[in-house]
C-alpha cells in the first residue's frame, strides 16, 4: 500500500528522556520496516522545559514541541497519546487523553499504585466502548525470542509448566555516591527495583506461561538508605551535586527498595522465584527467565536478546540438550522485516515491534495487548509483594482485578 | 615421605552405592596424587547383602566385606568410619563409631532431622576431647573453583556481599512413572530435594560467603503425589516394578518435597534466593551460585565445575566483565597435584580433595571442616525452611546451634 | 548545534536492496542519535526499475526516486553518492561521481578485481586534492566491540601479535536447490565467499592488528557446481524458478567459490588462518576473530556483536581468564549516544556509526577510513588468494598498492 | 565375573612423567569402574634414575621399579608394554617388545619420523600374525563427546562433510624465558607443536569424519629462536637454569616449530584448516574441532570435554540451533560406568577408557584402534606438513602408508 493511500496515525508524546528517545526511534522506524495499514505522523512532543523540549523535538523527529501535555490532549490533529513520563503522572495524563477520545500508549508500570491503575483500567474500559484503544508498554513481549518462547508454550512444547525462575539484575546504583534521582523516590517512582524492573519480569513470565501469579511471599531491601541529592540526571546516569572541592553535599532518604525478592505460585500450578535488584554488580541488564515444563524447558537472557535456549525432552536422550536458537530467521516473530539470518537486532527494536502491533490493532479495530487490565494485574502483583514484605514475608494472595 | 614411613589411616566404609563408589574412588586415589602424612588402607566395607557387598568390595578395592557395620566399629584395625548410607542410619552409626573412638566421616546431610543432628554434634564434641575427628561430607567445598571463590571473598575482592542466588536443579524424576525410591520416602531420606541437594547449596553459599542464614521464607511442592513402587534401584536411576505386559503396578505415596524454594537473609546483610528441585527439565546437575558484592561478583556452575566467573568492579569500566577463570592452574586450590593447565578434572575429584583434607587434619591433629557443628547448622536451616513452608511461608528464624 | 545552523550533507544513493536498506536506516538515524556538524538530507535513490525504486524511496525515506544513477551524479543538490550496487558497477559509478566532485561512499568490496580497484583508488587520490572525500564501507570496523579491540591493540594490551584466526561462516546456500543468484556469478560478484565475506575478515583483522597481510597460501572450493536459475531474489534469500508442478528447471554454472581458505603472514610477524564459506551449516553470520599476542588475547563473534572476549596475561595467574566485556558502556566506542549499559544494539548500528564518522570527516575536512587505498589493498589480498589457489596453494606475495 | 576367575593382563610401563602418571591412574582405575574380561596387574615401571623411578613406582602404584626397560621386555610375567617415553625411543622399545611377543601400547605420536613409524607398523603387522596386539595412544578418541560425534557422523546425521576446522591452542611457552625442555628439541621430540598437539587433531578429525587427509599446504613458525637451558622440568612446567643472582644463563637453539598451520583436503571431499600452537595466550588446552556437513554440524572443545555442540539442520528452521549436549547420560559412550547425569568427568578418564578398550581387544583377540597403521598415517600427514612448509607452502600430497 502506498503511503498516500494509508490511514494516518497522528501521535503526540509526553516525556522525552530515556523512554521518550526509545519510543521516538520506534515511531520514526516502524513504517520504514513494516508494511502497515496506517502511517505514523510524529506531531508533537510535550515537556515542561521549553528549551529542552524544543531541542528534543528537533533531535528526535517531532514536528512540534509544547510545554503543556494538555495541549496535546486537546488538539484535533492528534490521534494517540504516548505517555513516557515517570509513573506519578500516568493516571492524570491517561484519563485526560481517554476522556478526549485519544488512543493511549502508556509506559510501564501502568501507575504508581493499585488505585491509580484501577482508575486507568476503568477509564480504558469506558473508552473501549467508543473504539478507543489502550496499551501498556511492556516492550519485552516484543523481543522476538520472547515471542518465540510464548509460541513454544502455546504449542505445548514445554508441556505442563512446573518452574519459573526470573531475575532482573542491574547494578547502576551500587555506588553509595550515586545520587537520589527520581527513580529512588517513592512519590515519583512508586517503588524501586520492584516497579521499574520487577514489573517487567512479572509481565513477561505471565505472558509466556499464560499463567498468572496467584500469591507471593516477599522481602525487599534498601542497602543504601541515604544518598546525595542530584544535580542533574538523564536516563539511568546522573551526577551528585556538590562543589568542585568535594565539599559534603546534602543527602536525602532513599524511599524505595533497592532489591525485591519473592516466591510465587502461578494459577496453573507452577512455582516460581523472582528477583529484581539494582545491586547485582556486573549485571547490566540481566533480565533472565527460565521455564521448566514436563516436556521441555526454555531460557532467555536480555543481554543476549537474539537467542533463546530451548530444551526438548522428547528427542532421544543422547541428543538432548539446550539448543541455542539464534532468533533471526525469517519465520521467527517480527524478523521477516529485518536483516538476513544471523544479523542481530537490538534493544530498541522491541519498541518498533510494539508500535507495529499497536498500529495494526488501532487500524484493525482490535484491542492491543498488554491491555490496561493486564497492566493492572501486574500492579496487583507488585502490591501483593509490598504487602507480603511488610508482613514478614507472609503468604499474600494477589487481589482480583 | 616414603609409604613405609608414613602413619596409616585404616578405613572402614558403610554403604557402597552411589556415594560409596565415589568415596572408594577417592580413597584409592588420594595417596597416588597427593603427598600426604598418612597412608590410607581400605580395610573393609559393610553392607547387609552378603553377595552384593562382597562384589562391591572386590570391585571398589576394599580388602574385606562384612554384613554388619557394627563389626567395623568394633575392630581394632580400623581408625576411621566412612558413613555412606541413607540419612536414617547416620546417627546410630556415627554415635557407635565415636563411642568406639573412631574418627568419622559422614555423608551429607548429617541426619534426617535436627534432633539427630544435635545428638551427633554433641557426640562429636565429646569425642573431640579425646582427639577423635569428625567431618561431614559436603564435598563441593573441595571443588577447586568453589575453593577459589571462597578465597576471593576472604581476600575482600567481592567487597560487602549483597546478594546470593543459588539453585540446585535436577530433572531425574520428571517422569511420573519413575518409581518410589528411598530418596522419595521421608522416613528414609528425611526430606526430598531440600535435604538431598538443597543442603549442598546452603552449605556451599554459607562457606563461600562466610555468612550464615539467619531467617527464611519458604515454599515446597510435590508435583507427583504417588509413584509406582520400585523393583530395583541404584544411584539416581531405578525401574518401576511391574510385569512385562505393563500391568498396573502398585503405587505408594511420595512423602518428600519435589522442590523447595526459599528466600533468606544472611547474618552479614546479604539477601538470597534458594531453589532445589528435581523437576527442572534439562538441568542434570545444575548447582549454580552467584554472589554479588560491592566490589565484585562471582558465579559458579557445577556442570562446568572447572570454571569460575569473576567480575572485578575495580578495573576500568571499559574492560570490566565476567572473567571465565579456567580453574586448572597450579596455583589454584588442589590443582598442583593434577594435570597441566586446561586439562580438566571431574566430579569425583571433589571427594579425593575431601579425603586429602581429612587425612591432613587427622594426621595433623586438627579438626577438619565442615564439622558436625557446621552440618548441624545446615540442618537447622533446612528445618526452618520446612517450618516456614508449613506456616504459609511466614518468616522463620533459624534456631541457634 | 541546532539543525538550522548546520551544514547540509545531501545524499544520493544507488541501489536499494539489502545494503541500500541498511544504509537508508543509518542515514535516517544518524542525526537523531549523534550530535554532528552536518545534517543529512536524503535527496534521491536510483534504481533501474521505475516501480520498485519508487516504492523503495517511499519506504526507505528518500525524497525522490530516479531510474538512472547518472542523474544523481549530475545534480547540483547532491553532495555525496552512496554506492550500494553489486560490485560490477562500482568503478563506473564511483569514477563518474568523483569526476563530478561528489564525495563517495562505496560498499565493499571496492571492486570486482584489482584493475578496477586501482582505477578507483587513483581517482580518489586525484579527487582528494580538490577536497573530495572517499570511503569504503567495511562497516564492521564500526561495531563497538571491534573498535574497542582496535583500541586495546593500540594501547599495547595484547603485546606483540603472534596469531590471527579469522572465519566468516555462513550457510545460506547449503541447499543445492538454492538458485543461481547474482552473488554466485563471477561477472557480477567478482568472487564468491571470498569477496563477499572474506573481504570483511581481511579488512577487519588488518584494521585491529595494524598489520597487513604480506603473503598467502590458499585453496578455494565450489561444492555445488550447477544451480537452478533464479526466479526472483532479494538480499540473501531467493527462490528457484520453475512451475508449480515442480518441473525440472533450467540450471546454470556457479562461477564463484563457495569457500575460500588461506594461511597468511602479516607484515608485523603474525601468522594467520582465514576461512570464508557459505557452507558452514548452522553458522548464520559467523564472523569470528581471535587475536593472540604476547601480553593478551581477544576474541570477537559477530553473532554476539555486543561482546568482546579479552584475556589479560598481566593479571595474576589465578585470576586470568577470558573476560566477556559487554560493550555497552558509555565509555565504549560510539555507545554514549545509545542506551544504558546492557541494552544491546544490533547489526544495523554499524552503518549508523559508519555514517557518523563519514559525516564528521566530510564536515571536518579530513579523509575518512577505510579509504579507497585501504580497500584496494584488501582487493590485492583477495587477488593473491585467488592466484595462490590457482597455483596449487603456492605461497603468493600480496602485490604492493 | 569375579576377579579370581578373570584372565590377567600384566603390564610394564616405560616412563613415569606426565603421560606415565596419566596412564597409571587409568591402569589403577579401569577394573574398578568397568566390568572387563581381564584384570590388570601393574607389574613394574622402568626409568633411568633409580631414586626417581622407585619413588614413582610407589606413588603411582607399580609393584616394582627397574632402571632398564629391557628388563621389562625380557620378563615372563609381563604381557603388555606401555610406552610413555619421549618419541625418540618409541621405535627401539616397541620393536624389542614386539619381538619378545609383548602387546604394546605406545603413546602418540607413534614416532619422531616416518621411517621409524613405518618400521613400527611393519613390526606390528608381523606380530599380529602371532596374536600380538598394538595400539597407539590417541586418547582423545575416548572422550565420550568425541565418541558421540563419531557416532553421529556414522549415523549420517551430519550428511556429507564439507568443512573441518581444527585447532589445538596452548600457551605454555609464550614467555621467552621458558627453558629449552626436551619438547623443544627436534632430536628428542621430532617436532614441536606439530607432533605434540597437531598430531591429536589430525587423528581426531580423521577418526570422527571417517575421512583421511589427502594433501596439505602448510606453514610453520618458531617465534622464539633461543631459550635458556633448563635446570629441571616435569610435565609441561620447568624452570630455567641460573644462579640465584639472576646471572645470564646459557641458551640453546629451539629446533622445533612453535606453531604449525595447514590447509587440507580430505579424501571424502571436505576442506579443512588446522592449527597447532603453543603461543595462543589464554588458551590452555584449546583443542577445538568443528565439522560442517550437509545435514548438520558439530563442535567440540576439550576445555569443556563433557559437552558436544550439535546442529541438526533437519528440524524445523524456527527451532534449529546448536544444541549443547551434556555428554553424561548412561547411553552416551563409556558413561554408564560412571556417575549420574550431569556429574562430569575429566581429562584422565580418556585414558581409563583407552585402557578399557585395549583390555577388551586383547582379551577378545581383536585388534584395537588406533592401530600402528593408523598412527603411521598420522605421521605421514605430519611429514607432508613439514615438507609443504619447507617448500613455500606448496600443495603436498600425503604419502600412502
Amino acid at each position: 500500500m502506498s503511503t498516500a493511500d494509508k490511514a494516518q496515525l497522528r501521535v503526540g508524546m509526553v516525556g522525552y528522556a530515556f523512554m521518550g528517545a526509545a519510543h521516538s526511534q520506534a515511531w520514526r522506524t516502524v513504517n520504514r520496516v513494516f508494511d502497515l495499514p496506517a502511517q505514523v505522523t510524529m506531531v508533537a512532543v510535550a515537556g515542561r522545559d521549553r528549551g529542552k523540549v524544543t531541542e528534543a523535538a528537533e533531535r528526535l523527529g517531532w514536528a512540534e514541541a509544547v510545554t503543556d501535555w494538555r495541549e496535546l490532549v486537546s488538539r484535533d490533529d492528534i490521534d494517540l497519546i504516548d505517555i513516557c513520563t515517570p509513573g506519578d503522572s500516568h493516571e492524570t495524563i491517561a484519563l485526560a487523553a481517554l476522556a478526549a477520545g485519544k488512543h493511549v500508549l502508556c509506559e510501564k508500570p501502568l501507575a504508581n499504585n493499585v488505585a491509580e491503575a484501577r482508575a486507568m483500567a476503568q477509564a480504558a474500559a469506558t473508552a473501549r466502548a467508543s473504539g478507543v484503544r489502550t496499551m501498556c508498554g511492556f516492550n519485552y513481549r516484543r523481543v522476538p525470542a520472547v515471542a518465540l518462547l510464548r509460541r513454544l508454550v502455546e504449542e505445548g512444547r514445554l508441556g505442563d509448566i512446573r518452574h519459573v525462575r526470573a531475575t532482573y539484575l542491574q547494578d547502576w546504583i551500587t555506588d553509595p555516591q550515586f545520587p537520589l534521582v527520581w527513580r529512588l523516590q517513592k512519590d515519583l517512582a512508586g517503588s524501586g527495583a520492584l516497579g521499574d524492573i520487577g514489573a517487567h519480569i512479572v509481565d513477561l513470565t505471565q505472558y509466556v506461561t499464560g499463567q498468572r501469579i496467584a500469591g507471593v511471599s516477599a522481602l525487599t531491601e534498601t542497602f543504601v538508605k541515604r544518598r546525595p541529592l542530584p544535580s542533574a540526571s538523564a536516563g539511568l546516569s546522573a551526577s551528585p551535586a556538590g562543589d568542585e572541592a568535594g565539599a559534603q553535599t546534602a543527602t536525602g532518604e532513599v524511599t524505595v527498595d533497592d532489591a525485591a525478592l519473592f516466591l510465587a505460585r502461578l494459577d496453573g500450578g507452577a512455582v516460581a522465584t523472582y528477583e529484581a535488584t539494582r545491586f547485582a554488580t556486573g549485571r547490566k541488564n540481566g533480565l533472565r527467565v527460565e521455564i521448566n515444563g514436563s516436556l521441555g524447558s526454555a531460557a532467555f537472557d536480555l543481554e543476549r536478546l537474539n537467542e533463546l535456549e530451548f530444551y526438548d525432552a522428547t528427542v532421544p536422550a543422547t541428543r538432548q540438550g539446550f539448543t541455542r536458537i539464534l532468533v533471526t530467521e525469517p519465520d521467527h516473530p517480527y524478523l521477516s522485516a529485518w536483516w538476513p539470518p544471523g544479523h542481530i537486532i537490538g534493544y530498541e527494536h522491541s519498541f518498533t515491534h510494539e508500535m507495529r502491533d499497536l498500529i495494526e490493532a488501532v487500524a484493525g479495530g482490535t484491542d492491543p495487548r498488554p491491555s490496561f487490565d493486564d497492566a493492572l494485574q501486574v500492579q496487583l502483583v507488585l502490591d501483593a509483594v509490598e504487602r507480603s514484605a511488610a508482613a514478614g514475608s507472609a503468604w499474600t494472595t494477589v487481589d482480583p482485578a
Side-chain angles (χ1 to χ4, degrees), chain A residues 262-384:
Chain A
F262 56 103
L263 309 177
R265 287 183 183 275
L266 279 70
D267 58 14
V271 296
T273 58
Y274 289 86
E275 180 180 6
T277 179
R278 293 160 169 169
F279 272 75
T281 303
R283 301 302 178 188
K284 302 303 174 184
N285 206 20
L287 188 169
R288 294 188 249 170
V289 172
E290 178 166 329
I291 312 287
N292 305 130
S294 56
L295 299 181
S297 291
F300 171 75
D301 180 345
L302 186 62
E303 291 182 1
R304 287 178 171 168
L305 68 80
N306 294 271
E307 304 178 21
L308 183 70
E309 302 272 339
F310 171 54
Y311 187 96
D312 184 347
T314 67
V315 306
T318 53
R319 298 200 301 277
Q320 285 178 16
F322 277 85
T323 298
R324 172 198 171 231
I325 302 173
L326 192 58
V327 189
T328 58
E329 295 294 312
D331 290 342
H332 284 143
Y334 303 103
L335 265 303
S336 62
W338 293 104
W339 315 113
H343 293 69
I344 71 170
I345 62 169
Y347 162 75
E348 71 203 49
H349 295 69
S350 61
F351 295 97
T352 306
H353 302 164
E354 180 177 301
M355 302 322 177
R356 186 201 80 158
D357 292 346
L358 174 58
I359 292 166
E360 291 199 331
V362 169
T366 62
D367 284 311
R369 301 287 294 268
S371 66
F372 278 17
D373 285 339
D374 294 329
L376 165 60
Q377 192 269 342
V378 172
Q379 200 74 42
L380 289 164
V381 173
L382 303 185
D383 182 67

Side-chain angles (χ1 to χ4, degrees), chain A residues 71-86:
Chain A
E71 182 181 337
L72 301 185
V73 169
S74 62
R75 282 167 70 149
D76 286 340
D77 64 346
I78 286 179
D79 305 309
L80 183 147
I81 302 293
D82 180 6
I83 306 175
C84 292
T85 55

Side-chain angles (χ1 to χ4, degrees), chain A residues 147-167:
Chain A
L148 176 62
L149 171 48
R150 172 61 189 148
R151 188 195 289 175
L152 292 172
V153 172
E154 281 185 316
E155 292 173 353
R157 295 193 180 280
L158 270 64
D160 298 328
I161 307 298
R162 264 81 177 255
H163 283 288
V164 171
R165 208 165 291 115
T167 62

Side-chain angles (χ1 to χ4, degrees), chain A residues 11-56:
Chain A
V11 180
M13 184 173 80
V14 192
Y16 51 82
F18 174 20
M19 277 305 105
H23 282 226
S24 299
Q25 169 77 359
W27 288 123
R28 287 193 310 266
T29 304
V30 66
N31 284 112
R32 302 301 182 189
V33 175
F34 294 100
D35 188 19
L36 295 173
Q39 182 74 21
V40 170
T41 308
M42 296 169 68
V43 177
V45 59
R48 282 170 294 195
D49 183 298
R50 165 65 61 194
K52 287 182 183 171
V53 71
T54 302
E55 187 280 330

Side-chain angles (χ1 to χ4, degrees), chain A residues 211-232:
Chain A
Q211 297 187 23
R212 293 202 154 184
I213 294 174
V216 299
S217 168
L219 70 79
T220 58
E221 179 65 67
T222 304
F223 295 107
V224 174
K225 315 287 193 209
R226 296 192 69 83
R227 290 181 175 275
L229 297 179
S231 55

